[in-house]
Every structure is written in C-alpha cells, then in structure tokens.
Amino acid sequence: MKTTIHGYPKIGPNRELKKVVEAYWKGQVSKDELISKASEINLSRVKKAIDNGVDIIPSNDFSLYDFVLDTATMFNVIPERFKYIEDSLDRYFAMARGTDKAIACEMTKWFDTNYHYIVPELAGDIKLVKNRPLKSYRYVKEALGIKTKPVLVGPFTFVYLSKVYERQEGSILMKMVKASESSKFAGYLDLFTSLYNQVLKELENEGVEYVQLDEPAFVLDLSDEEVGLALKAYEKVMDEIKNLKVIVNTYYESLSSYDKLVNLPVHGIGLDFVVNNENLENIRKYGFPADKILVAGVVSGRDPWKTNLKETANLIKELSNYIKPENIILSNAAPLFHLPVSLEPEKGHLSQDLINILAFADERLAELKSLRDHFANGVDLPDTDVKSIISKYNNEAVRQTVAQIRNAEVGRKTPFEERYKKQMELLKLPLLPTTTIGSFPQTQEVRKYRADYKAGRISQEEYENFIKKQIEYVIKVQEELDLDVLVHGEFERTDMVEFFGEKLEGFAFTKNGWVQSYGTRCVRPPIIYGDVSRPNPMTLKETVYAQSLTDRPVKGMLTGPVTILNWSFYRKDIPKEEVAYQIAIALREEVLDLEKAGIKIIQIDEPAFREGLPLKKSKQEAYLNWAVKAFKLSHDTVKDEIQIHTHMCYSEFNEIIEYIHKMDADVISIEASRSKGEILEAFERFNYDHGIGIGVYDIHSPRIPREEEIEEILRRSLKYIRKDLIWVNPDCGLKTRGWEETIPSLRNMVNVAKRLRKELSQ
Ligand code: GLN
Ligand code: ZN
C-alpha cells in the first residue's frame, strides 16, 4: 500500500507566506522577492513530504492567495472590471481584494469549513491560458528531481461553486446567481470538461503518472440530473486519456449517489473514511469497482486529535476484503490546510497531556507512514487513547446538568409578547431604539496596551486603568450621540471567542497553531479538550463599570455557545451538541451574574450560528434543533424583564429563518446593507414577530452612509415589521473602523431614527 497526501498547509511554519505577501502589497518587497520566497515555502512543503516518506507527493496545491482563484485565472475567468490591470499578479490580488476602481470578487465559505474562497464569475472568453498543474509538475521535477501528482479542483466542483450572469425576471438587468442554481450550469460544465480534457492531455504527454481532481461537490445532495451531468462530464474529461491515472477525490462527507458516482470513468476514487461510516457502509453494500484505485482518506485533515492507528488498521484490513491491497492508497481525508503546520512549537507550551493526544499536519504525515510500514513490514502501531486522557478533565457537575437537559425542553417560560412589554416598560425606550453591535474602534493604542499586558510589560493595574479610560470615553461618546442603548466597547477583547475561551475551563490555546481562513488571514482556533465550566465571572467587571457611568441601559456582551463551538477545534469523544450545552451552561452562569449586577439587556452573539450547518440536508434539522436549544439554554433562567439580544452577520438567512425565530431572542440584529435587501426579502416572506435590528449601514467599508440610504432601509423594514419591534443599528461591530468615520456614521443613523420616530408617533 502506498501513501499520498493533499492540501498540506500553505502558510509556512511561521506564517512566512502571509508576511511576504502582505509586504508585497505594501510595496516593501519586489515581485521577484515575493516569487522566490513563495517558491521556497512551496518547495519546503514538498521536501517535508519527501522526508516523511510520502510515496505519491502532490504538486499544484500551493497558492499565493486561494486555489479556487488560481483555477479561475488558469481558465481566463477574469471579470471585465479587472482587465485594466496589465500585470497578471497584481490583477490576481486585485480580484481577491478589490481596488479603488473595481470591487473585489465575492468571497464565501468553502463547504462547511472556515476556509473562504474567491467566487469565480463565469463570463467572457473562457479558455485554457495556463496549464498550472503542468507548470507545477515541471517546476518540482526540475527543482527536486521527483515526479509529483498535480492536484486541481475538479470541473464539476469548480463550475458548481461559481457564479454566472442571468437576466433578472422582467428586467433587462443582469445579476449574478449561483451556477448550480442556474439554467446555464450544464452549458458551462460542458465547456469546462473540454478544457479539463486539454489539461489532462498535456499532463499525459508530459509523462505524468497521477493527477488528482478534487470534487468535494460530489458529497452534496445532488439531484439525479446533476449526477447524470457529472457522469457525462467525466466521459468527456477522460476522452482519449489512457496512461494518466486520474483520481477523483472527495471529502468532508460521504460520496453522494455512491452506486453511480463510484463508477465515474476514471482510474481512482478518493473517499473520506474519517468523517463518518457512510462510505464504508456503501462499500459493504455495493462493493467497489475492481478496476479502480481507492484513495482511502484515513487520517483527519480537520480535527487535531491523534488517529487511533490500531482502529484505522482494522478499517484498512476490512477495506482490503473488498479492494486488492495494491489498489489501495492511504491518504488524509479532508485537506490538511484546516490544521496548523506542526505540533513541535507547542511542546513546552501546551500541557503534556495535550501533546500526547494532538496531531497537526506534520503529525498526519508520520501517522500515514506508520500505517504503511505496519502493512508492509508488520511494524507495531502505538496505542493512542485520546478518550482516556480527555476523561481526566471530566467535570461531574457539568455532566449532571447536561444529563438533566439532554431530553428536556429548554427556553424561557413567558411568551415573547409578554416579556417584551415588561422589558420596554422597564427600559423606557422610544420607538426605533438606537444601539450598536458591541465593539468600538480598536485603535493602535488599544491593541498595543493589550499586547503589552499579555507580554507582562505592563501591570494588571495599569492595563485595567487603561481599559476603564476607554470605557469612560466610549460611554461619553454614545451619550453625546444620543444613542438609546449603550455598550462598553469590548476594548479588552482581541477576539470574541478567544476572550471567553481563555476564561473557561476545558479550552487550550496554541502558541503557533495558525490556520488559513482566507488569503493571508490566519486564525488560531481554540482547542476544546475537556468539560467546559466557568470558574469566575468573565465580563462582569467591564460591564458593571460601564453601567455605573450612565443612566442609559448598557448591554452585557457575550459570545454565544454555538459560535464559540463552531470557531474552535472540539473533542470528538462526546457528541458535538453536548459540547454546545456545556458552553451554554457556563454562559448561563454569566448571564445570571449580569442580571444580579443590575444589567437589563444582555446580547449573546451568534455570528457563526449557521457555520456548523451539515452539508447533507438530511442532517441539517438535527443540527439546527440542538443549536437553537444551546442558544436558549444559555439564558433561559433569567427574569422576564431581562431583554436578550442576539446578533448575526451573514446574508444566507432564508433557509434557516424558521430556526432563528425559534431561538426566541427578544431582539436580533442582522446584516442587511451589504446583501442589498436580500435579507429583507426573507423577512418579507416570513412573519418575524420578535424585536429586530436591521443593520442600516455596512461597517466593512470606511464610507460614511448618507441619511437617505439609512432611511430607505428603515422604511422598507417598516412595511412588513411592526414598528414597535424595529431597532436601529449598524450591521456589525465597529472594531475594525476608525473613530473618524464611526462618529459621523452613527450621527446620521441617530438623526434618521429620530426623524422617523417623530413621524411614526404623529
Ligand atoms: N459583539 C461583537 C462585536 O461587536 C460581534 C462581532 C461579530 O458579529 N462578529 O465586535
Ligand atoms: Zn457581526
């Protein structure tokens, strides 16, 4: 049995890629320097695979920004608005980031991961302008003298994730729609299959042995028609290909329509055996084509836990009942870029218990090698028992509380209308109350103080005094702007999940565990390894101090359980929902402390609520049900008079709006300005009868919104949402903005609210 890998992290062990690309953007390094540094990072990845004994080494899986964007540009998929840029590299970055003349291409989540890709806009003269896989193959061969397996996004997935222009109904205007939902899908797929065929022919002529086409879209719920199109497309992709071994790789979920798609006319199929048992079940049920290679994804590319190699060896043994061992290639399942590069820098930083049970990308290479050597030479496999180490961190009290609510209804007893009435009487707020989402500009100075404190360069007292000054300032600003519900500004928080994770038991933080989120942006997800509990209050001090400075209500600000979970790595020994309940129970204690301290409004942010949505529709309802339950659990013991807010900031509300309603928050604030009313459409169709703050301007841009724009959004909302339910706020937190635009923007917002308020009460 041979081994292969794919999707090894591109960012470099110390985020070298981020640093050099950003330096290039700032004009600090030349294009040649960028290219040479990037090649060095790329080749060091290849060498790492060689050194770790990987048999079939990938190429073309490195990227300066995004691999979907790389695929688009090799086929000349370049929107008209960027054609004025001559230099192809600068044009490439411009498509991702926008320029003052051309707005950036849309960026969106890659399947159910926290990676984001640049959405291709299919139009114009689509043709093969650069055979990237071939270039990569040659490059590595010349540099290191080895033959590699080029990896490329497959034609079905590429077209499926693209957008196309379609004429709007009853209008001459064109708008962009998802290719997968457009009548143009089959046409574009057909076009791309010929281009891919050309790519493969050139690779075959070069004497390439393996090529991998990634088709994660094959795990989605495809219609029979789409499955038919996929099979037909691959007939054409493979036309006249004889010696080149084409492997279609799938991951993140089990292959859909297994009995059909497993028979794609290619040499090999890659399946994910880590995510669940479904691919294995299908092999048991339908077998596996005798003439094909199975690329078995047996170690995780998404979870940071060591693989239980003995169990995995049993799985492989079972697979070899169906597939000849020489036809099995062992691989990682999901691409490795969802993991940090290496555990090495964490030694001495994380506890020894954690070091013993974690595995990042480099450790996956070693695991694959152990498995191969085990089957080749009978080398013993180590015992790894992640479970028993994790169980050292069990918390009986937490377990009992979870057991009590596991099958119980949770949520507030009094219905919304009654609660809202009591709350509004107590709060004495006018119609269309104004507020913000929580954070205020985090200036250089704020960031420096936080960093100095963390590094021990200033004392706790100095730091706390500084934060107090910031709170005093932001309260004064909000009073002067005449906002109705104030916030403390969140100056003490670098990151809305990290801040809470650091104060909760059961969370660990790496020193260098960076994972690419998009382009040069990397995040360091917390690792939830043990039972979660809250030893001490987390937000009380700042909130209470802010409230002491003003007569207006100050909102307590918490990050919700579902968001904390979805933005972390989490343990796999208990169901995901139980981890959510544990976090919710910890937050519930905080909510009660805030209540006791006299805080009357508490906002529990859930911007990542939708991110955990399973790819397969049949699994979505169960997720949404427990996610709603976790959210409700986080505050269901407060008094009716306490107003619970939540905040979400993405646009795809339509399919989950029913569940958002079930969350039963007294007030929700949502994004509405960027999606140009798409969200409003959802609320037009669904009778949303709880408090709702429509985001009246886009905080992602420094532009100051005009009063007319704000007014238009509010007037539109007033058409189908009861006026006493409407709140007025920006569409997200203000921490990335500067003070110079924040104040005039909020002033315009308050002006409009006051004007409409007067009009409504006449
Ligand atoms: N309260 C957070 C803030 O204002 C919400 C951030 C978010 O939605 N991502 O920064
Ligand atoms: Zn937001």
Side-chain angles (χ1 to χ4, degrees):
M1 267 178 242
K2 287 187 176 155
T3 59
T4 191
I5 58 162
H6 63 102
Y8 185 87
K10 306 156 183 75
I11 54 176
N14 292 301
R15 287 181 297 158
E16 290 83 351
L17 184 63
K18 172 196 177 70
K19 289 169 195 159
V20 70
V21 169
E22 288 180 355
Y24 174 73
W25 292 341
K26 289 192 196 123
Q28 293 160 350
V29 305
S30 70
K31 187 167 163 180
D32 287 345
E33 285 167 304
L34 167 65
I35 301 295
S36 101
K37 182 71 192 170
S39 310
E40 182 191 316
I41 300 166
N42 183 15
L43 289 180
S44 74
R45 302 160 65 249
V46 180
K47 282 185 208 138
K48 180 94 72 95
I50 300 175
D51 293 345
N52 281 280
V54 176
D55 298 311
I56 302 168
I57 290 173
S59 60
N60 197 44
D61 63 345
F62 181 73
S63 173
L64 285 176
Y65 196 96
D66 166 43
F67 56 89
V68 180
L69 183 58
D70 292 337
T71 315
T73 51
M74 72 180 258
F75 294 116
N76 204 32
V77 176
I78 294 159
E80 228 13 78
R81 62 186 184 280
F82 296 102
K83 298 233 167 113
Y84 77 95
I85 306 172
E86 298 269 310
D87 182 87
S88 62
L89 183 68
D90 290 340
R91 191 170 56 211
Y92 171 85
F93 286 134
M95 285 167 69
R97 308 172 65 225
T99 66
D100 47 1
K101 292 199 189 65
I103 57 162
C105 296
E106 192 186 323
M107 182 171 76
T108 197
K109 263 168 73 71
W110 169 254
F111 294 86
D112 61 344
T113 74
N114 286 333
Y115 180 78
H116 300 74
Y117 69 96
I118 303 295
V119 182
E121 299 173 20
L122 303 184
D125 185 17
I126 297 172
K127 59 187 179 200
L128 179 64
V129 287
K130 174 177 163 188
N131 192 335
R132 239 183 151 266
L134 180 62
K135 270 193 76 174
S136 281
Y137 176 86
R138 283 186 183 151
Y139 178 73
V140 180
K141 197 169 159 211
E142 267 157 42
L144 301 171
I146 58 158
K147 291 186 165 194
T148 52
K149 163 195 76 171
V151 179
L152 182 63
V153 181
F156 189 88
T157 298
F158 180 78
V159 178
Y160 199 89
L161 299 182
S162 294
K163 283 200 158 181
V164 299
Y165 285 98
E166 227 168 44
R167 206 170 286 288
Q168 268 174 289
E169 234 174 278
S171 155
I172 53 158
L173 294 177
M174 303 289 271
K175 71 170 184 185
M176 295 241 72
V177 298
K178 287 183 187 151
S180 59
E181 290 164 12
S182 123
S183 57
K184 294 185 174 170
F185 181 65
Y188 273 117
L189 184 59
D190 194 53
L191 168 61
F192 275 94
T193 49
S194 0
L195 301 178
Y196 271 77
N197 178 250
Q198 196 182 336
V199 169
L200 297 188
K201 278 185 182 152
E202 290 178 19
L203 291 172
E204 180 160 278
N205 288 339
E206 185 77 10
V208 174
E209 187 181 2
Y210 290 102
V211 63
Q212 174 177 321
L213 297 178
D214 278 358
E215 290 285 16
F218 286 167
V219 309
L220 303 174
D221 300 300
L222 300 178
S223 65
D224 290 347
E225 195 194 334
E226 286 166 333
V227 171
L229 285 175
L231 290 165
K232 213 176 92 198
Y234 268 87
E235 293 288 347
K236 212 163 145 189
V237 167
M238 294 300 291
D239 189 38
E240 288 177 36
I241 301 296
K242 286 176 283 297
N243 301 319
L244 177 66
K245 294 185 182 128
V246 178
I247 290 165
V248 164
N249 198 29
T250 66
Y251 40 78
Y252 300 139
E253 251 296 349
S254 62
L255 180 63
S256 288
S257 302
Y258 175 90
D259 54 329
K260 299 198 185 77
L261 288 179
V262 81
N263 291 312
L264 282 166
V266 292
H267 295 78
I269 303 280
L271 299 175
D272 186 330
F273 292 97
V274 175
V275 65
N276 55 42
N277 271 335
E278 292 167 8
N279 281 322
L280 178 62
E281 296 285 347
N282 282 329
I283 289 182
R284 286 177 183 152
K285 192 161 152 202
Y286 300 103
F288 188 83
D291 57 346
K292 278 197 176 54
I293 297 170
L294 171 69
V295 175
V298 291
V299 300
S300 180
R302 294 187 74 167
D303 306 307
W305 312 106
K306 260 188 190 164
T307 307
N308 185 326
L309 292 175
K310 287 190 168 154
E311 271 176 22
T312 306
N314 288 337
L315 164 76
I316 297 167
K317 252 183 244 150
E318 180 173 357
L319 289 174
S320 49
N321 294 336
Y322 300 91
I323 302 128
K324 280 188 275 180
E326 62 269 30
N327 281 351
I328 299 179
I329 298 176
L330 304 178
S331 175
N332 53 299
L336 293 168
F337 63 76
H338 303 298
L339 292 173
V341 172
S342 165
L343 197 54
E344 219 43 52
E346 311 305 332
K347 295 186 176 159
H349 170 75
L350 292 176
S351 74
Q352 194 53 45
D353 270 348
L354 278 171
I355 295 294
N356 289 341
I357 57 176
L358 289 171
F360 296 162
D362 279 356
E363 289 72 29
R364 294 293 179 229
L365 307 192
E367 289 182 344
L368 284 169
K369 183 168 185 293
S370 303
L371 286 168
R372 183 197 58 195
D373 293 348
H374 171 75
F375 284 100
N377 317 315
V379 174
D380 271 348
L381 291 171
D383 282 304
T384 2
D385 195 356
V386 175
K387 243 185 207 175
S388 69
I389 293 187
I390 281 188
S391 69
K392 290 208 241 168
Y393 301 92
N394 283 2
N395 177 323
E396 265 326 301
V398 174
R399 300 240 150 183
Q400 271 172 25
T401 321
V402 171
Q404 279 159 18
I405 60 93
R406 193 179 287 130
N407 298 310
E409 281 282 327
V410 305
R412 299 170 86 178
K413 300 281 169 316
T414 313
F416 164 76
E417 284 294 341
E418 222 173 292
R419 291 187 325 245
Y420 197 63
K421 202 164 155 255
K422 286 191 202 169
Q423 293 159 7
M424 290 315 236
E425 269 162 23
L426 183 76
L427 292 166
K428 300 196 176 40
L429 293 171
L431 269 182
L432 306 182
T434 53
T435 189
T436 62
I437 305 303
S439 59
F440 266 84
Q442 300 217 335
T443 54
Q444 281 285 265
E445 193 194 15
V446 170
R447 270 177 263 159
K448 186 171 178 318
Y449 262 90
R450 252 187 346 232
D452 282 349
Y453 173 56
K454 219 171 181 176
R457 287 188 289 267
I458 57 171
S459 69
Q460 179 166 350
E461 196 191 331
E462 245 174 295
Y463 173 69
E464 284 178 2
N465 283 335
F466 172 76
I467 295 293
K468 275 185 165 174
K469 287 267 161 345
Q470 298 299 310
I471 296 176
E472 287 158 20
Y473 177 69
V474 82
I475 293 288
K476 215 171 91 225
V477 168
Q478 294 174 90
E479 286 194 325
E480 278 172 15
L481 283 166
D482 207 10
L483 286 156
D484 300 306
V485 172
L486 313 192
V487 295
H488 78 282
E490 300 181 25
F491 302 104
E492 73 287 11
R493 308 181 188 178
T494 349
D495 175 278
M496 63 188 292
V497 171
E498 186 183 65
F499 176 80
F500 289 92
E502 279 179 343
K503 295 186 153 46
L504 291 167
E505 296 285 337
F507 282 72
F509 290 85
T510 60
K511 200 166 83 189
N512 202 39
W514 296 100
V515 174
Q516 188 180 21
S517 167
Y518 63 87
T520 60
R521 181 164 163 83
C522 301
V523 295
R524 239 177 344 172
I527 300 172
I528 306 175
Y529 65 91
D531 284 348
V532 177
S533 62
R534 186 200 73 145
N536 293 299
M538 305 183 282
T539 63
L540 209 54
K541 207 184 324 175
E542 292 85 3
T543 317
V544 168
Y545 183 64
Q547 184 65 83
S548 76
L549 301 169
T550 177
D551 294 332
R552 305 181 189 217
V554 173
K555 288 194 272 194
M557 304 296 309
L558 307 176
T559 304
V562 185
T563 295
I564 292 183
L565 177 54
N566 282 340
W567 282 346
S568 300
F569 288 123
Y570 55 90
R571 58 195 291 191
K572 293 282 176 154
D573 62 317
I574 58 175
K576 189 175 177 188
E577 61 188 89
E578 306 235 333
V579 186
Y581 299 153
Q582 292 189 358
I583 303 169
I585 291 162
L587 289 169
R588 181 159 80 167
E589 293 170 14
E590 187 74 13
V591 167
L592 287 181
D593 276 348
L594 288 167
E595 171 182 29
K596 249 187 257 151
I599 301 300
K600 297 185 181 66
I601 306 183
I602 299 168
Q603 179 171 312
I604 306 171
D605 290 328
E606 286 288 19
F609 187 81
R610 198 184 179 287
E611 289 198 10
L613 198 66
L615 293 174
K616 303 240 197 236
K617 290 218 170 66
S618 58
K619 299 177 187 177
Q620 292 179 350
E621 193 183 316
Y623 166 78
L624 289 165
N625 282 335
W626 68 246
V628 167
K629 184 165 170 177
F631 177 77
K632 285 161 82 175
L633 185 62
S634 69
H635 65 271
D636 66 347
T637 40
V638 279
K639 284 199 302 250
D640 294 350
E641 286 78 5
I642 305 295
Q643 191 166 68
I644 298 293
H645 288 214
T646 189
H647 164 70
M648 292 183 178
C649 47
Y650 40 79
S651 49
E652 292 177 23
F653 267 98
N654 299 22
E655 7 164 22
I656 61 164
I657 191 157
E658 199 188 316
Y659 293 91
I660 292 178
H661 186 251
K662 281 189 189 157
M663 288 166 75
D664 197 26
D666 296 312
V667 180
I668 182 172
S669 57
I670 54 162
E671 187 274 328
S673 52
R674 248 181 320 159
S675 65
K676 311 237 172 3
E678 244 174 67
I679 287 192
L680 294 182
E681 281 169 28
F683 287 91
E684 274 162 20
R685 275 195 299 273
F686 186 92
N687 176 26
Y688 194 82
D689 57 3
H690 285 37
I692 178 163
I694 304 284
V696 292
Y697 75 87
D698 176 12
I699 62 87
H700 302 85
S701 140
R703 204 175 66 88
I704 297 163
R706 286 178 297 123
E707 292 192 12
E708 299 84 87
E709 301 166 31
I710 297 175
E711 187 169 332
E712 193 193 313
I713 296 192
L714 281 175
R715 286 205 188 274
R716 188 162 168 198
S717 330
L718 276 161
K719 278 197 205 139
Y720 42 86
I721 300 172
R722 239 168 58 201
K723 64 180 178 188
D724 62 308
L725 294 176
I726 297 183
W727 286 61
V728 181
N729 47 258
D731 71 350
C732 195
L734 299 163
K735 77 174 182 198
T736 55
R737 291 273 60 84
W739 281 106
E740 39 325 331
E741 67 258 18
T742 296
I743 291 181
S745 299
L746 290 174
R747 188 174 295 127
N748 288 353
M749 184 183 94
V750 173
N751 284 344
V752 175
K754 284 186 179 169
R755 210 161 51 230
L756 288 187
R757 192 178 286 163
K758 221 190 239 155
E759 195 183 303
L760 291 173
S761 41
Q762 267 163 14

